[in-house]
Amino acid sequence: MTYTSFDLHGRTAVVVGGTSGIGQTIALGLAEAGADVVPSARRAEMVEATAKKIEGLGRRTLRVCSDVLDRPSLQSLLDATVAKFGKADIMVYAAGRTKRTPFFEVGESEWSEILETNLTGAYRASQIFGRHMVERKYGRIINIASLTSFLGMYEVAAYGASKSGLASLTRTLAVEWAPHGVCVNAIMPGVFRTALNEKLLDGTARGEELLLRTPMRRFGRVEELAGSAIFLASEAASFITGTILQVDGGFLASGVNQ
């Protein structure tokens, strides 16, 4: 194996939720590694902006909106990708939402909305893109897990349940699809400040505690996730499946920090 095992030239990647935050960073990272990348989300203007950045890196792309709550839109995303590029080698599921609410105050609508996006949306995308990959006998699916996939976090029960479920789905699909040449893994970011969680972190006791429990004593930078996605999407990771790769500044390894 040489460094060329990380080269993604000739591969086509679709990043669901790929127009902002972690998803956009991964989309651009895959493009820099050589892949043609289709970033998709609900808002056309954000799809357009990210597609222009990908083209600025010299890679091909498409402008296709999708909604993870709408199965036909995800099918249309796959169909458009295959029509343009002939295949979808890589699918990153980066769509997500969260809200901090004491458990007794979590309404059924809030619970359902969070699980629909974070977990059921991944189920839909995995069925649609996974079937294509299984039929081709090749594929890479990368989910975005969370610290809450492993640890209880205060007042984010719905989010934690959804991300724990996503970790389980990742392992289950890895086992089911391994004989068909499809690797299914996840990246578990530690504490990364994004638009999704900035209100929970900035100037709060929660943010201070999370920094204390992170041995590197800082929040992650979203660009520090791109390398993990490139690795898991590449031939360098051809014998890795069912893994949840921690990119957390030592958070899960941490016991006593002082």
Side-chain angles (χ1 to χ4, degrees), residues 123-147:
Y123 142 77
R124 294 186 186 103
S126 294
Q127 276 196 336
I128 290 167
F129 284 86
R131 185 180 299 278
H132 169 74
M133 293 173 180
V134 166
E135 289 173 350
R136 291 186 60 240
K137 301 294 184 183
Y138 181 89
R140 301 284 187 268
I141 291 177
I142 303 170
N143 295 315
I144 304 301
S146 163
L147 284 170

mmCIF file of all heavy atoms in Angstrom, residues 123-147:
data_model
loop_
_atom_site.group_PDB
_atom_site.id
_atom_site.type_symbol
_atom_site.label_atom_id
_atom_site.label_comp_id
_atom_site.label_asym_id
_atom_site.label_seq_id
_atom_site.Cartn_x
_atom_site.Cartn_y
_atom_site.Cartn_z
ATOM 1 N N TYR A 123 -31.699 5.884 7.587
ATOM 2 C CA TYR A 123 -32.306 4.637 7.119
ATOM 3 C C TYR A 123 -32.728 4.770 5.661
ATOM 4 O O TYR A 123 -32.436 3.903 4.819
ATOM 5 C CB TYR A 123 -33.467 4.276 8.033
ATOM 6 C CG TYR A 123 -34.693 3.676 7.371
ATOM 7 C CD1 TYR A 123 -34.712 2.343 6.968
ATOM 8 C CD2 TYR A 123 -35.835 4.454 7.164
ATOM 9 C CE1 TYR A 123 -35.845 1.804 6.362
ATOM 10 C CE2 TYR A 123 -36.958 3.926 6.570
ATOM 11 C CZ TYR A 123 -36.963 2.593 6.167
ATOM 12 O OH TYR A 123 -38.072 2.084 5.568
ATOM 13 N N ARG A 124 -33.399 5.882 5.328
ATOM 14 C CA ARG A 124 -33.858 6.074 3.949
ATOM 15 C C ARG A 124 -32.672 6.167 2.984
ATOM 16 O O ARG A 124 -32.638 5.500 1.944
ATOM 17 C CB ARG A 124 -34.697 7.347 3.853
ATOM 18 C CG ARG A 124 -36.002 7.299 4.622
ATOM 19 C CD ARG A 124 -36.845 8.549 4.342
ATOM 20 N NE ARG A 124 -38.040 8.552 5.188
ATOM 21 C CZ ARG A 124 -38.198 9.287 6.276
ATOM 22 N NH1 ARG A 124 -37.211 10.100 6.658
ATOM 23 N NH2 ARG A 124 -39.304 9.225 6.979
ATOM 24 N N ALA A 125 -31.704 7.015 3.329
ATOM 25 C CA ALA A 125 -30.554 7.206 2.450
ATOM 26 C C ALA A 125 -29.751 5.920 2.292
ATOM 27 O O ALA A 125 -29.279 5.595 1.188
ATOM 28 C CB ALA A 125 -29.665 8.324 2.989
ATOM 29 N N SER A 126 -29.619 5.164 3.375
ATOM 30 C CA SER A 126 -28.857 3.913 3.313
ATOM 31 C C SER A 126 -29.567 2.880 2.465
ATOM 32 O O SER A 126 -28.922 2.122 1.717
ATOM 33 C CB SER A 126 -28.623 3.374 4.723
ATOM 34 O OG SER A 126 -27.789 4.240 5.462
ATOM 35 N N GLN A 127 -30.879 2.807 2.558
ATOM 36 C CA GLN A 127 -31.613 1.865 1.699
ATOM 37 C C GLN A 127 -31.424 2.209 0.233
ATOM 38 O O GLN A 127 -31.164 1.336 -0.601
ATOM 39 C CB GLN A 127 -33.096 1.857 2.052
ATOM 40 C CG GLN A 127 -33.457 0.947 3.208
ATOM 41 C CD GLN A 127 -34.948 0.670 3.280
ATOM 42 O OE1 GLN A 127 -35.767 1.443 2.784
ATOM 43 N NE2 GLN A 127 -35.312 -0.425 3.917
ATOM 44 N N ILE A 128 -31.568 3.488 -0.091
ATOM 45 C CA ILE A 128 -31.513 3.908 -1.492
ATOM 46 C C ILE A 128 -30.107 3.782 -2.058
ATOM 47 O O ILE A 128 -29.891 3.139 -3.093
ATOM 48 C CB ILE A 128 -32.057 5.336 -1.617
ATOM 49 C CG1 ILE A 128 -33.569 5.335 -1.364
ATOM 50 C CG2 ILE A 128 -31.724 5.935 -2.978
ATOM 51 C CD1 ILE A 128 -34.173 6.700 -1.145
ATOM 52 N N PHE A 129 -29.125 4.362 -1.401
ATOM 53 C CA PHE A 129 -27.761 4.302 -1.910
ATOM 54 C C PHE A 129 -27.136 2.933 -1.680
ATOM 55 O O PHE A 129 -26.360 2.449 -2.500
ATOM 56 C CB PHE A 129 -26.916 5.409 -1.282
ATOM 57 C CG PHE A 129 -27.198 6.756 -1.857
ATOM 58 C CD1 PHE A 129 -28.232 7.544 -1.350
ATOM 59 C CD2 PHE A 129 -26.471 7.243 -2.925
ATOM 60 C CE1 PHE A 129 -28.524 8.785 -1.895
ATOM 61 C CE2 PHE A 129 -26.749 8.483 -3.472
ATOM 62 C CZ PHE A 129 -27.784 9.258 -2.968
ATOM 63 N N GLY A 130 -27.479 2.294 -0.554
ATOM 64 C CA GLY A 130 -26.931 0.967 -0.270
ATOM 65 C C GLY A 130 -27.354 -0.066 -1.294
ATOM 66 O O GLY A 130 -26.550 -0.928 -1.682
ATOM 67 N N ARG A 131 -28.588 -0.016 -1.746
ATOM 68 C CA ARG A 131 -29.036 -0.975 -2.761
ATOM 69 C C ARG A 131 -28.202 -0.833 -4.044
ATOM 70 O O ARG A 131 -27.782 -1.825 -4.642
ATOM 71 C CB ARG A 131 -30.516 -0.767 -3.071
ATOM 72 C CG ARG A 131 -31.092 -1.808 -4.030
ATOM 73 C CD ARG A 131 -32.559 -1.549 -4.306
ATOM 74 N NE ARG A 131 -33.363 -1.612 -3.089
ATOM 75 C CZ ARG A 131 -33.808 -2.750 -2.558
ATOM 76 N NH1 ARG A 131 -33.526 -3.911 -3.124
ATOM 77 N NH2 ARG A 131 -34.542 -2.718 -1.453
ATOM 78 N N HIS A 132 -27.986 0.410 -4.445
ATOM 79 C CA HIS A 132 -27.157 0.667 -5.622
ATOM 80 C C HIS A 132 -25.750 0.100 -5.432
ATOM 81 O O HIS A 132 -25.190 -0.537 -6.339
ATOM 82 C CB HIS A 132 -27.096 2.178 -5.860
ATOM 83 C CG HIS A 132 -26.089 2.622 -6.871
ATOM 84 N ND1 HIS A 132 -26.249 2.449 -8.229
ATOM 85 C CD2 HIS A 132 -24.877 3.255 -6.712
ATOM 86 C CE1 HIS A 132 -25.209 2.940 -8.866
ATOM 87 N NE2 HIS A 132 -24.361 3.434 -7.964
ATOM 88 N N MET A 133 -25.183 0.303 -4.254
ATOM 89 C CA MET A 133 -23.821 -0.170 -3.990
ATOM 90 C C MET A 133 -23.756 -1.687 -3.924
ATOM 91 O O MET A 133 -22.819 -2.308 -4.453
ATOM 92 C CB MET A 133 -23.310 0.458 -2.693
ATOM 93 C CG MET A 133 -23.108 1.960 -2.781
ATOM 94 S SD MET A 133 -22.690 2.684 -1.158
ATOM 95 C CE MET A 133 -22.525 4.411 -1.608
ATOM 96 N N VAL A 134 -24.717 -2.300 -3.268
ATOM 97 C CA VAL A 134 -24.744 -3.765 -3.185
ATOM 98 C C VAL A 134 -24.857 -4.369 -4.579
ATOM 99 O O VAL A 134 -24.191 -5.374 -4.908
ATOM 100 C CB VAL A 134 -25.898 -4.224 -2.269
ATOM 101 C CG1 VAL A 134 -26.168 -5.720 -2.437
ATOM 102 C CG2 VAL A 134 -25.577 -3.911 -0.808
ATOM 103 N N GLU A 135 -25.686 -3.781 -5.408
ATOM 104 C CA GLU A 135 -25.830 -4.295 -6.776
ATOM 105 C C GLU A 135 -24.532 -4.172 -7.561
ATOM 106 O O GLU A 135 -24.220 -5.034 -8.391
ATOM 107 C CB GLU A 135 -26.959 -3.545 -7.488
ATOM 108 C CG GLU A 135 -28.343 -3.898 -6.961
ATOM 109 C CD GLU A 135 -29.446 -3.033 -7.548
ATOM 110 O OE1 GLU A 135 -29.111 -2.024 -8.238
ATOM 111 O OE2 GLU A 135 -30.626 -3.332 -7.301
ATOM 112 N N ARG A 136 -23.753 -3.109 -7.279
ATOM 113 C CA ARG A 136 -22.477 -2.899 -7.971
ATOM 114 C C ARG A 136 -21.321 -3.650 -7.313
ATOM 115 O O ARG A 136 -20.220 -3.687 -7.846
ATOM 116 C CB ARG A 136 -22.128 -1.412 -7.998
ATOM 117 C CG ARG A 136 -23.034 -0.568 -8.872
ATOM 118 C CD ARG A 136 -22.519 0.862 -8.945
ATOM 119 N NE ARG A 136 -21.179 0.911 -9.513
ATOM 120 C CZ ARG A 136 -20.102 1.388 -8.890
ATOM 121 N NH1 ARG A 136 -20.198 1.866 -7.641
ATOM 122 N NH2 ARG A 136 -18.923 1.391 -9.483
ATOM 123 N N LYS A 137 -21.569 -4.206 -6.140
ATOM 124 C CA LYS A 137 -20.538 -4.909 -5.367
ATOM 125 C C LYS A 137 -19.407 -3.976 -4.922
ATOM 126 O O LYS A 137 -18.256 -4.392 -4.777
ATOM 127 C CB LYS A 137 -19.951 -6.084 -6.167
ATOM 128 C CG LYS A 137 -20.962 -7.118 -6.586
ATOM 129 C CD LYS A 137 -21.547 -7.841 -5.392
ATOM 130 C CE LYS A 137 -22.489 -8.963 -5.817
ATOM 131 N NZ LYS A 137 -23.122 -9.642 -4.669
ATOM 132 N N TYR A 138 -19.757 -2.703 -4.701
ATOM 133 C CA TYR A 138 -18.756 -1.765 -4.196
ATOM 134 C C TYR A 138 -19.463 -0.565 -3.594
ATOM 135 O O TYR A 138 -20.437 -0.038 -4.173
ATOM 136 C CB TYR A 138 -17.822 -1.263 -5.308
ATOM 137 C CG TYR A 138 -16.781 -0.303 -4.767
ATOM 138 C CD1 TYR A 138 -15.572 -0.802 -4.286
ATOM 139 C CD2 TYR A 138 -17.037 1.054 -4.686
ATOM 140 C CE1 TYR A 138 -14.626 0.069 -3.742
ATOM 141 C CE2 TYR A 138 -16.100 1.929 -4.133
ATOM 142 C CZ TYR A 138 -14.904 1.423 -3.667
ATOM 143 O OH TYR A 138 -13.975 2.272 -3.115
ATOM 144 N N GLY A 139 -18.944 -0.098 -2.475
ATOM 145 C CA GLY A 139 -19.489 1.132 -1.919
ATOM 146 C C GLY A 139 -18.885 1.484 -0.577
ATOM 147 O O GLY A 139 -18.329 0.630 0.134
ATOM 148 N N ARG A 140 -19.004 2.763 -0.249
ATOM 149 C CA ARG A 140 -18.557 3.282 1.044
ATOM 150 C C ARG A 140 -19.668 4.172 1.600
ATOM 151 O O ARG A 140 -20.039 5.165 0.970
ATOM 152 C CB ARG A 140 -17.273 4.103 0.903
ATOM 153 C CG ARG A 140 -16.084 3.343 0.302
ATOM 154 C CD ARG A 140 -15.476 2.403 1.325
ATOM 155 N NE ARG A 140 -14.257 1.789 0.832
ATOM 156 C CZ ARG A 140 -14.195 0.633 0.188
ATOM 157 N NH1 ARG A 140 -15.318 -0.034 -0.063
ATOM 158 N NH2 ARG A 140 -13.048 0.135 -0.205
ATOM 159 N N ILE A 141 -20.189 3.822 2.751
ATOM 160 C CA ILE A 141 -21.151 4.659 3.447
ATOM 161 C C ILE A 141 -20.498 5.157 4.736
ATOM 162 O O ILE A 141 -19.917 4.373 5.486
ATOM 163 C CB ILE A 141 -22.450 3.902 3.748
ATOM 164 C CG1 ILE A 141 -23.209 3.627 2.441
ATOM 165 C CG2 ILE A 141 -23.337 4.686 4.718
ATOM 166 C CD1 ILE A 141 -24.475 2.813 2.603
ATOM 167 N N ILE A 142 -20.588 6.465 4.958
ATOM 168 C CA ILE A 142 -19.990 7.077 6.141
ATOM 169 C C ILE A 142 -21.062 7.909 6.835
ATOM 170 O O ILE A 142 -21.588 8.865 6.258
ATOM 171 C CB ILE A 142 -18.793 7.980 5.766
ATOM 172 C CG1 ILE A 142 -17.744 7.176 4.983
ATOM 173 C CG2 ILE A 142 -18.184 8.599 7.021
ATOM 174 C CD1 ILE A 142 -16.655 8.050 4.359
ATOM 175 N N ASN A 143 -21.386 7.530 8.049
ATOM 176 C CA ASN A 143 -22.345 8.276 8.858
ATOM 177 C C ASN A 143 -21.614 9.203 9.829
ATOM 178 O O ASN A 143 -20.446 8.975 10.152
ATOM 179 C CB ASN A 143 -23.238 7.313 9.638
ATOM 180 C CG ASN A 143 -24.123 6.479 8.729
ATOM 181 O OD1 ASN A 143 -24.722 6.999 7.787
ATOM 182 N ND2 ASN A 143 -24.230 5.188 9.009
ATOM 183 N N ILE A 144 -22.313 10.213 10.300
ATOM 184 C CA ILE A 144 -21.739 11.100 11.309
ATOM 185 C C ILE A 144 -22.398 10.785 12.647
ATOM 186 O O ILE A 144 -23.570 11.087 12.868
ATOM 187 C CB ILE A 144 -21.932 12.580 10.959
ATOM 188 C CG1 ILE A 144 -21.354 12.879 9.565
ATOM 189 C CG2 ILE A 144 -21.262 13.455 12.020
ATOM 190 C CD1 ILE A 144 -19.867 12.565 9.419
ATOM 191 N N ALA A 145 -21.630 10.137 13.512
ATOM 192 C CA ALA A 145 -22.109 9.765 14.845
ATOM 193 C C ALA A 145 -21.880 10.950 15.798
ATOM 194 O O ALA A 145 -21.755 12.096 15.368
ATOM 195 C CB ALA A 145 -21.400 8.506 15.326
ATOM 196 N N SER A 146 -21.834 10.672 17.081
ATOM 197 C CA SER A 146 -21.754 11.743 18.081
ATOM 198 C C SER A 146 -21.212 11.176 19.380
ATOM 199 O O SER A 146 -21.274 9.960 19.622
ATOM 200 C CB SER A 146 -23.164 12.319 18.305
ATOM 201 O OG SER A 146 -23.238 13.060 19.508
ATOM 202 N N LEU A 147 -20.713 12.057 20.235
ATOM 203 C CA LEU A 147 -20.379 11.626 21.589
ATOM 204 C C LEU A 147 -21.585 10.975 22.260
ATOM 205 O O LEU A 147 -21.441 10.051 23.062
ATOM 206 C CB LEU A 147 -19.911 12.824 22.429
ATOM 207 C CG LEU A 147 -18.495 13.343 22.166
ATOM 208 C CD1 LEU A 147 -18.276 14.664 22.890
ATOM 209 C CD2 LEU A 147 -17.450 12.319 22.586
#
